Amino acid sequence: MNKVDPITTQVIRNALKAAADEMMISLIKTAHNPLIYEVQDFGLAITNHRGEMLAEGSGLPGFMGCLGPTVRSGIRELGADGFCEGDILLANEPYETGTHISDTAVYMPIFHEGRLVAFSALMAHWADIGGKTPGGWCPDTTDVHQEGMIFFHDKLVEKGMLNQTFLRFILKNVRFPDLARGDLNAMIAACRTGARRYIALSERYGADTIQRAMDQVFDQSEAMMREKISEIPNGSYSASVFMDHDGVELDKPYRIAVRVAVEHDEMRIDWTGTGGTVAGPTNHPFIGTIAMSETVLKSLTMPFDPMNHGHTRPLTVTAPANTAVSPLYPAPTDSYGYVAEMVVHLIVKALSAAIPDRCPAASYQMFGCVFYRMDPRHGEPFIFIEPLDGGGGAFPYADGPSGLVFVGNGNAPNTPTEVIEGRYPLRILRHTFNLEGAGEGKYRGGFGVIREYEALEDNILIQTMNENTIDRPWGLHGGGDAGVSKAIAWARSEREEEITQRVYLYGPFNRGDIVTQISAGGGGWGDPEERDLALREYDLRNGYAQPSEREAAAKP
């Protein structure tokens, strides 16, 4: 096989990365749900005809790591000859796509001169998928079929023709059909953007040249990753945590455990020791566990190199069947994200014994509220999904970042106040840092936030997201642990109630009622006694800390 010259190879590699980023721009510009166009709760990728990642757009790394396996699942299900030019397929079965049913994948085969050469694919959180609770994240499902419609490589568009019957079925089984239609159209547009760019590249260089060039890139990326892994001391490194509960058996914590083995230029991440599949929806599909494991390896070794399939070759991820990180049908997974966050933090914690100079402390756990109203007798139905930003874990060389979203799965923006107040019957009264709940240390954890919402109309309900309120996100090397996130219902009133557990159908809140969300910070790194005086002065000067009695007395 003739090798492609290095310059052409890099032009092709970067052109594919640009195409994936253009898919992202297309999605953001055309989506209807702020969870997609503001929070960017999505992942995008272009794969080759085998479903191996060529390039990914900016988005949540865990999602992007699931797209290759999703496409490969479709190839297994339909066969390589089961795709036609102009097809658009939907898939969201958790055990084959890696997260939960709300994160629906849309993907498209790409043909050049009559031959299947690639796929464009993306995954995004739908505003509703027709499950037990609006918007997903139900805290207490016990069966995947309670969580919504399941798509398994079903063709919404076949040979360029929209299946109107299938579309009507979807729109009649979601609570917010206009949002679903708008976001689905945006996802299709993004897939077609990627396809157009790939075809244009094929017209310029030839599809075979692209394939040969990217096979070379795979080999180069693998060699570089092996070199990076070989810099980590050989050994076996372990970590574990107990999760609060699964949403059904509320008095039963369960264990997530990992062992990371490094041997020369290979890494093995094994989840033996994790508790069995739980009754509630906090199970994390194994494809997602693999994707999150790949995310950690990449971030700790080669964070700035554009991701492709070659980076993952030196990594093996294993788990016994039917655990909380490897559930099988029909286990519920709707609240999978809490375990997803811990998968990332546990691997980092384990490796902190080997490469302490690279590993940050744990960040706040995923937290937030879903605000919604379904009954049109009380006003126009709406749904607003608000994963609240919080504090990141401290680094071995700096304080943790403040006000981040989805820290374990890649940072995402929050929803701006202007968007919330313009779209929903809510007013933001306060949005500021929470100066409590960040772990102390030589470097302190980042700060969480306080966001206060006033209801402008009646009959608004909420659903909360929260975890790790008992075995809290940890500090490292003597740093303090993070705090606990909480919501305050009916804040500033005699009815004020503090909520740290996951609840749904909670309310109703009427005009003038206030809900306050308070997210925790991140864990600290290092002994607090070793904190640099300049950092202490910075915190005092900016109001991030209160002076001690000695500091106050010494102030002129």
Side-chain angles (χ1 to χ4, degrees), residues 14 101 125 133 144 174 231 236 277 345 364 374 436 464 473 527:
N14 286 282
I101 282 177
H125 188 122
T133 61
V144 69
V174 297
E231 296 173 359
S236 180
T277 298
H345 294 313
Y364 87 116
M374 297 307 308
E436 300 177 358
T464 61
D527 186 345

Side-chain angles (χ1 to χ4, degrees), residues 237-243 254-260 269-275 289 318-320 323-325 339 342-343 346-347 350:
Y237 311 98
S238 300
S240 64
V241 70
F242 278 93
M243 309 297 284
Y254 61 97
R255 184 171 184 254
I256 310 294
V258 68
R259 182 176 67 87
V260 182
I269 297 177
D270 180 35
W271 296 94
T272 299
T274 295
T289 301
T318 57
T323 73
V325 298
V339 173
M342 283 298 104
V343 163
L346 279 174
I347 298 172

Side-chain angles (χ1 to χ4, degrees), residues 34 37 415-428 456:
Y37 68 74
T415 307
T417 295
E418 296 83 357
V419 172
I420 297 172
E421 294 185 341
R423 290 196 56 147
Y424 307 109
L426 299 167
R427 176 182 292 127
I428 304 301
L456 301 182

Side-chain angles (χ1 to χ4, degrees), residues 364 390-394 399-403 433-434 436-439 443-448 520-524:
Y364 87 116
D399 291 344
S402 300
F433 284 139
N434 171 25
E436 300 177 358
Y443 300 105
R444 61 158 171 76
F447 296 125

Side-chain angles (χ1 to χ4, degrees), residues 8-31:
T8 301
T9 296
Q10 290 305 310
V11 169
I12 288 172
R13 180 187 188 183
N14 286 282
L16 290 171
K17 170 61 176 169
D21 283 337
E22 190 175 346
M23 291 173 63
M24 176 203 67
I25 294 169
S26 173
L27 180 64
I28 289 174
K29 294 292 187 182
T30 56

Side-chain angles (χ1 to χ4, degrees), residues 242-264:
F242 278 93
M243 309 297 284
D244 291 349
H245 57 77
D246 64 9
V248 173
E249 298 177 318
L250 303 183
D251 59 349
K252 187 176 179 181
Y254 61 97
R255 184 171 184 254
I256 310 294
V258 68
R259 182 176 67 87
V260 182
V262 179
E263 186 173 355
H264 306 302

Side-chain angles (χ1 to χ4, degrees), residues 36-54:
I36 296 178
Y37 68 74
E38 292 290 354
V39 179
Q40 299 178 24
D41 191 359
F42 58 67
L44 313 98
I46 297 174
T47 80
N48 63 17
H49 65 288
R50 299 185 294 265
E52 298 164 339
M53 182 185 287
L54 302 175

Side-chain angles (χ1 to χ4, degrees), residues 260-547:
V260 182
V262 179
E263 186 173 355
H264 306 302
D265 62 354
E266 294 187 349
M267 181 180 289
R268 182 182 182 90
I269 297 177
D270 180 35
W271 296 94
T272 299
T274 295
T277 298
V278 294
T282 57
N283 296 293
H284 189 238
F286 188 52
I287 283 174
T289 301
I290 295 172
M292 300 303 276
S293 301
E294 293 170 349
T295 295
V296 179
L297 172 62
K298 182 67 165 54
S299 67
L300 292 179
T301 55
M302 302 175 62
F304 302 113
D305 198 45
M307 181 72 176
N308 63 69
H309 174 69
H311 290 108
T312 66
R313 286 175 175 173
L315 174 65
T316 302
V317 183
T318 57
N322 265 324
T323 73
V325 298
S326 57
L328 302 177
Y329 172 87
T333 68
D334 207 20
S335 293
Y336 81 100
Y338 312 118
V339 173
E341 292 284 300
M342 283 298 104
V343 163
V344 169
H345 294 313
L346 279 174
I347 298 172
V348 173
K349 184 179 184 181
L351 284 172
S352 68
I355 45 174
D357 58 321
R358 302 188 207 174
C359 295
S363 300
Y364 87 116
Q365 175 58 277
M366 187 178 296
F367 169 72
C369 284
V370 180
F371 295 83
Y372 57 92
R373 179 174 57 208
M374 297 307 308
D375 192 338
R377 292 176 299 176
H378 300 287
E380 183 178 355
F382 76 94
I383 186 166
F384 169 48
I385 304 173
E386 172 80 313
L388 193 67
D389 35 342
F395 298 107
Y397 48 83
D399 291 344
S402 300
L404 301 178
V405 181
F406 295 148
V407 177
N409 191 17
N411 187 34
N414 60 28
T415 307
T417 295
E418 296 83 357
V419 172
I420 297 172
E421 294 185 341
R423 290 196 56 147
Y424 307 109
L426 299 167
R427 176 182 292 127
I428 304 301
L429 301 179
R430 184 166 51 138
H431 189 193
T432 186
F433 284 139
N434 171 25
L435 302 183
E436 300 177 358
E440 296 183 347
K442 179 179 181 180
Y443 300 105
R444 61 158 171 76
F447 296 125
V449 304
I450 300 171
R451 204 167 200 178
E452 198 163 62
Y453 311 76
E454 179 185 4
L456 301 182
E457 295 177 2
D458 293 343
N459 229 70
I460 296 173
L461 302 172
I462 67 167
Q463 174 177 312
T464 61
M465 302 174 277
N466 205 4
E467 241 295 347
N468 294 112
T469 64
I470 301 172
D471 201 346
R472 295 177 294 161
W474 49 82
L476 286 178
H477 303 287
D481 294 344
V484 174
S485 300
K486 59 186 176 182
I488 308 296
W490 295 287
R492 305 188 195 177
S493 74
E494 295 181 358
R495 298 182 61 189
E496 185 172 297
E497 296 180 20
E498 182 176 298
I499 307 168
T500 59
Q501 296 299 308
R502 302 191 286 275
V503 298
Y504 73 106
L505 297 175
Y506 192 87
F509 297 91
N510 295 318
R511 184 187 301 271
D513 288 338
I514 297 173
V515 177
T516 303
Q517 294 193 81
I518 305 172
S519 64
W525 199 100
D527 186 345
E529 295 296 323
E530 298 179 9
R531 186 162 178 80
D532 189 274
L533 181 60
L535 293 176
R536 174 66 179 172
E537 291 175 346
Y538 175 86
D539 283 349
L540 291 171
R541 186 168 60 251
N542 287 280
Y544 295 157
Q546 295 298 317

